[in-house]
Amino acid sequence: MNRVDALLDWAVGLRDKAAVRFEGREITFGELADRIAGAAGSLAGRVRRGDRVGLYCENTPEFVVAEYACFWLGATVSPLNRQLTSAEVRETAQRLGLSVVLADGPLELGDVPVLPVPDGTGPAAAAPPPPERMGPEDGCLLLQTSGSTGTPKGVLLSYANVVDNYDRTYRWVGATGADVLLMALPLYNTYGLNQGINLMAVTGATLVLHRGFSPRAVLRALRDEGVTFFPSVPTMMTRLQAVADGPITDRVVRVGVGAAPTASQVVADVWRILPNASIRLGYGLSEATALVTLTHVGGPEEAAGRNLDTCGRAVPGFEMRIDRPDETGLGELLLRGDGVFAGYVGTEAPRPVEDGWLRTGDMARIVDGELVIADRKRDLVIRGGQNVYPGEIERVLHELHAVLEAAVIGRPHPDLGEVPVAYVVARPGHDLHVDAVAAHCAERLAGYKRPAEIVVVDALPRGATGKISKPALRERDALQAAGR
């Protein structure tokens, strides 16, 4: 097997059909296959079977070409957040053992080679070799996540993982070759990879690809480009509803909402824009490859009287149970199935699997067979659908000698869901200026990770063991916010 096989097949049967639409350009399945082959030929001398290749690229057709060219050559692809600084990419590349990074912009990574992202349109250095034949245990994707300590981890997904989960998703969400998929989610995330590029590749659907999320551009695409399937996160819907004057189309659009807790208000926002939308709510995580549970809410009439707090039932191939539930049924969610990841890379943290069950760290209940998520992992902040790990920000804050202690928590935000807020304590005898701390964060952290506010305090609350108490800090922050 090879991930490129499906696209090569569509290039035979659907050679002149649009595979990708991007900023006024259209690439057919035949053209896409030719570009992937050209890129594989140009990379053949630098990328080999088993290599881990970083892909530092915006949401463009070149991302698709480079990803599948690497698959062609048998490499494990590690998509990198395009918002990361050079310092962050360098640390990630070294930690994950990347052989090379393909970049669409300037990047200095020291000992790790950097090559331009190939677009496959120019003359290749050589004809590509036949696509590598990969086995179930071979590495396919190396994604980024983190544990409760904030220490970054690489999540290795095998071919078996991806075939079991990615390649069945189209049946679960009802996607077909007749669909037009709108993708404005980042492609470095398993959600975007699965329900964007992969749905196009396995079904022969057309992918309308956006470089990023612009509410007005997405509204135009939903109205004018015949979109029938739109994977999203709640923040997108909140922002779309805020700029839309009213319904933009009466066409039936299947809307997926995931990657953050979903409130009834978000579903109502969808129907204000797309009154005939058929909504799917889901839950997933990188360590389980992608999609774990799903429920079809349907349209307003079908949803009448339903509890919209559920994430649905486990998709085929997964089992779920609650570990040590309390009297209300709340406990840690455990998962078992072929989608459970192969292992962590770049960390000594053990794979959180016991007797075949993956410990998710998420607190949940199972009610009538359906999953209800009660809380997130202990310290995780989800800012507009993007995971922000407080421990990573705290390490950057501690690089400043004037910072004695630092703690980062999530603060509720009406648009983004949450934003990170940093509380810092000055080292005795040192002045701690907020502007200087913010400038340091701007230099060392991607924009979405930077604290929305930096608060200098005399001391941080502590628990009985002497550790900083983040629950108490959240309470303090909420009280202060309420008093403003």
Side-chain angles (χ1 to χ4, degrees), residues 375-384 386-391 393-394 407-414 416-423 448-453 469-479 481:
D375 203 355
R376 305 183 181 113
K377 295 180 182 179
R378 181 175 299 172
D379 294 331
L380 178 66
V381 178
I382 301 181
R383 179 177 188 166
Q386 297 196 85
N387 289 355
V388 179
Y389 296 97
I393 303 173
E394 289 162 3
V408 175
I409 58 171
R411 175 187 291 169
H413 189 277
L416 297 170
E418 285 183 308
V419 292
V421 175
Y423 280 81
Y448 72 95
K449 298 180 185 178
R450 296 169 194 164
E453 184 177 359
S469 173
K470 289 194 174 180
L473 189 58
R474 292 188 191 98
E475 289 183 16
R476 177 194 294 183
D477 186 72
L479 289 171

Side-chain angles (χ1 to χ4, degrees), residues 5-28:
D5 291 345
L7 278 176
L8 299 182
D9 287 343
W10 293 125
V12 175
L14 299 174
R15 185 165 185 83
D16 296 325
K17 181 184 178 183
V20 180
R21 295 184 202 153
F22 177 75
E23 296 182 350
R25 292 184 279 152
E26 186 171 283
I27 303 172
T28 67

Side-chain angles (χ1 to χ4, degrees), residues 181-202:
L181 315 171
L182 174 57
M183 178 46 57
L185 293 164
L187 293 178
Y188 59 80
N189 181 275
T190 193
Y191 189 8
L193 288 170
N194 182 23
Q195 297 196 32
I197 298 176
N198 195 67
L199 279 188
M200 175 270 290
V202 299

